[in-house]
Amino acid sequence: MSALGMAAVLTGCGLSGGSDDVTLRLVAADYGDSGANSSQKYWDGLVEAYEKKHPGVTVDVTVHSWNDVDAKVKEMVDAGKAPDMAQIGSYADYAAAGKLYKVSDLLSIPVEADFVPQLANAGEVRGVGYGMPFASSTRLLFYNKTLFAKAGIQAPTTWAELAEDAKALKRDGVAYPYALPLGPEEAQAETLQWMLSGGGGYTQTASAYSLDSAENVKTFDWLRDDLVGKGLTGPVAPGKLNRATAFAAFAAGDVGMLNGHPSLMKAAAAKGVKFGMVPMPGAEGPSKVSMGVADWMTAFRQNGHAEEVGDFLDFVYDEKNVLAFSREYDLLPVTGSASLTMGAAPQDADLKPFLDELPLSETYPVGRTSWAKVSADIKQQIGRAVAPGGDPAAVLGELQTAATTLDVGVGG
């Protein structure tokens, strides 16, 4: 799953029917896990409702899996057949190439102003918004209540408590006292969560990466020495453990603790695992900043129709539609109005802990065109930092050098 997921395909933009009729084509990613809840169904219902009120506009939507959607859009753009809209995992390359509309050229002022500020800011390239947040998520520390009760321990609030809990779980024979997925699937997520809990991050200033900051080095020194080095992260080396494997192990009752997003709730509950969720522990107390993830809606300039695209997207971001999507896929709303409604609704109580973290969250530096390559490097390299004999300062230094070189090459 990209950052989150959803899909719909558009192929060029043309006229259908009268001279004033317009067809808009959208490519999106699929957030569903079966045909029964495919995002195609969500979009079909949304488009039907829109077209009833806008007889001159047709919206064609095709949904692709998260494994394919970004590549499909790239193929279309490279072939000179950009969709009108694409709901995908990144936007910065297209924005830097001048291919996208500015958000302010599309949305009405009330709709644009309703985006959650942290997410709206993450959609900017050099202070100008090009990516519209479409879905979001945060992370919490999940823990197995049954295993914790058996070990006589409480949910941790600090790194030291987390390590002590992991020791108790190990004594009880728990396979993964703390699951640390730094494998190539999604290591950039676990890495950022830990960096933030140690007071660091990927970009501690607006102008440059800070991968090898003193805070980040200290964090990974602790992980190497106090968790991995003491055998508290399970039988699979963190650099080879993928998130999906860690999640499956938690749902199977084999993990004491791990960082998770909302979809883990359903998977764990389906297997009968009793779990709790708390903010990520920090060096001295609960982490003040959580990791946030967002997927993006973009609009390409190639076919024009800015007015029609903007009107349709105003409808997409209507509160009731944002809530319907978020509830269907256990994701967080990207607008303030929908967030307020969800926060007060009893039916959304299970998502509220994640929602509470959103105002405190920090996202990947997706506005930097170098991020895709930097992220790929982190996925491949960060596991070495916590391996036996690993050197966090050296590994983070290599990643920083590569990121800085990329920034110079692409202009950020």
Side-chain angles (χ1 to χ4, degrees):
M1 176 165 163
S2 133
L4 304 167
M6 173 164 214
V9 172
L10 306 177
T11 62
C13 183
L15 300 177
S16 68
S19 59
D20 294 330
D21 291 351
V22 169
T23 295
L24 302 177
R25 289 169 170 53
L26 166 67
V27 182
D30 194 356
Y31 292 85
D33 55 15
S34 68
N37 69 345
S38 165
S39 293
Q40 188 71 57
K41 289 189 174 183
Y42 172 81
W43 284 111
D44 288 348
L46 191 73
V47 166
E48 181 180 4
Y50 181 79
E51 290 178 348
K52 281 182 181 178
K53 297 181 179 180
H54 301 82
V57 179
T58 299
V59 184
D60 290 341
V61 179
T62 308
V63 172
H64 295 285
S65 77
W66 268 111
N67 293 330
D68 301 326
V69 65
D70 287 272
K72 291 284 187 182
V73 172
K74 185 176 187 303
E75 288 174 8
M76 295 169 71
V77 174
D78 290 347
K81 298 179 180 179
D84 297 280
M85 295 164 282
Q87 188 275 299
I88 48 181
S90 61
Y91 64 86
D93 286 347
Y94 297 127
K99 296 182 182 296
L100 300 180
Y101 282 112
K102 299 175 183 177
V103 176
S104 59
D105 290 339
L106 300 168
L107 301 180
S108 64
I109 292 175
V111 172
E112 184 179 4
D114 197 25
F115 286 133
V116 173
Q118 285 85 348
L119 302 179
N121 293 340
E124 295 180 351
V125 175
R126 298 185 179 88
V128 178
Y130 292 97
M132 292 162 272
F134 184 77
S136 67
S137 178
T138 56
R139 298 289 170 95
L140 292 170
L141 183 77
F142 282 64
Y143 65 97
N144 184 311
K145 286 186 173 181
T146 303
L147 297 178
F148 267 57
K150 181 182 176 185
I153 55 178
Q154 303 293 322
T157 61
T158 66
W159 289 356
E161 290 175 2
L162 187 150
E164 288 303 311
D165 284 351
K167 290 175 186 176
L169 292 164
K170 183 180 180 181
R171 285 194 296 270
D172 276 358
V174 176
Y176 293 88
Y178 178 87
L180 183 65
L182 295 177
E185 178 197 352
E186 203 185 39
Q188 82 286 1
E190 186 76 7
T191 297
L192 180 56
Q193 185 71 50
W194 276 99
M195 285 181 172
L196 292 172
S197 75
Y202 285 145
T203 52
Q204 288 168 258
T205 68
S207 60
Y209 287 101
S210 56
L211 296 166
D212 62 347
S213 69
E215 293 88 348
N216 291 341
V217 172
K218 182 178 179 181
T219 294
F220 274 81
D221 280 344
W222 187 88
L223 285 171
R224 178 198 61 193
D225 297 338
D226 290 69
L227 278 191
V228 182
K230 294 183 179 177
L232 302 177
T233 54
V236 180
K240 297 185 181 300
L241 181 65
N242 283 327
R243 177 197 56 80
T245 303
F247 277 22
F250 185 83
D254 295 329
V255 174
M257 302 172 275
L258 84 173
N259 285 314
H261 52 61
S263 70
L264 183 56
M265 294 190 297
K266 186 180 295 183
K271 294 292 185 68
V273 173
K274 293 180 172 58
F275 61 88
M277 302 176 298
V278 294
M280 176 68 180
E284 305 298 335
S287 178
K288 295 181 174 59
V289 184
S290 173
M291 188 196 76
V293 176
D295 296 329
W296 304 97
M297 179 68 75
T298 60
F300 287 86
R301 299 167 54 89
Q302 179 178 326
N303 305 309
H305 306 311
E307 183 177 350
E308 292 86 355
V309 168
D311 188 72
F312 175 66
L313 290 177
D314 275 357
F315 182 75
V316 168
Y317 285 107
D318 182 85
E319 180 183 335
K320 68 177 185 298
N321 295 327
V322 173
L323 279 171
F325 179 84
S326 301
R327 286 167 171 164
E328 177 67 28
Y329 299 108
D330 287 330
L331 295 167
L332 303 182
V334 297
T335 62
S337 58
S339 295
L340 286 172
T341 299
M342 179 175 278
Q347 73 184 91
D348 300 312
D350 58 342
L351 286 172
K352 191 173 187 305
F354 295 93
L355 192 62
D356 290 344
E357 293 293 302
L358 192 56
L360 310 172
S361 66
E362 182 173 316
T363 62
Y364 302 132
V366 290
R368 309 183 76 83
T369 55
S370 56
W371 170 242
K373 182 61 170 64
V374 172
S375 175
D377 287 347
I378 291 169
K379 291 178 184 180
Q380 295 300 321
Q381 302 297 331
I382 195 63
R384 294 193 293 116
V386 298
D391 186 341
V395 173
L396 291 169
E398 292 168 12
L399 290 168
Q400 176 68 25
T401 298
T404 301
T405 302
L406 283 166
D407 256 5
V408 171
V410 299

